[in-house]
Amino acid sequence: MAGAFKASAEVLLAAEKDSVSHRELPTCFLLRHATELFLKSALVVAHRAFVSTGADFPAVSVGGKSKAMTHVHGVGALYAALVAVLNEHQAELEKRARTAWLPMPEELNKAIRDIEAMDERGVFFRYPTERNEAKSVNKPMTAQELTGWDSDQRGALKALVMLNNDDEIVGAYRYDPNLLTEELATLQSACDWLNSIHVGLRIELAGGR
């Protein structure tokens, strides 16, 4: 299922820049959800390989409290749980696997931290009203910013300008074509790493199941 969300995001990313209106937000949502599902899959594989509790799914520590994995959506807590299981059973992991799984790559560590910072509750990319300004291609700007825009240094300005009856500027919104660029790059990085980790652990610890 995680692969389907990732593949759907890649279809949107492959489209021409302006062919799909506001494509960045749903693309981020798809990648964010794929990241969570890859993490949960890898955690279940590691749990079943090393932990004999009789439970199908592991518990995850969130804020010092143990919660069922199915009720946890924060990638930070899920990632911490995965790393903890692998570290706790590192000796057995090294015996059973050919891959040097630990330590985790710093690029992935950073991506998880960044995702957690932008979307701790797992709803930022899901609901358009959550911190809406950050997710809109229309960025508010003041009249001073509008009149002082330097197109030679900053490029052409595309904006919606609202005037009163005296032709005075009362509101302006700049169109930003590079919405969520950094967030997309971070999510793509995390998703690619976790896809590989989830597949690798399944092959080496669960016979590909």
Side-chain angles (χ1 to χ4, degrees), residues 137-142 146 157-163 169-176:
V137 292
N138 298 310
K139 305 297 183 184
M141 63 187 309
T142 66
L146 181 65
L157 173 64
K158 186 176 182 180
L160 169 68
V161 180
M162 294 177 288
L163 307 175
I169 298 173
V170 295
Y173 295 87
R174 173 176 61 87
Y175 174 73
D176 180 8

Side-chain angles (χ1 to χ4, degrees), residues 51-77:
V51 183
S52 301
T53 63
D56 287 334
F57 302 108
V60 175
S61 178
V62 180
K65 296 181 179 179
S66 182
K67 297 183 66 174
M69 186 197 73
T70 52
H71 294 163
V72 177
H73 303 289
V75 296

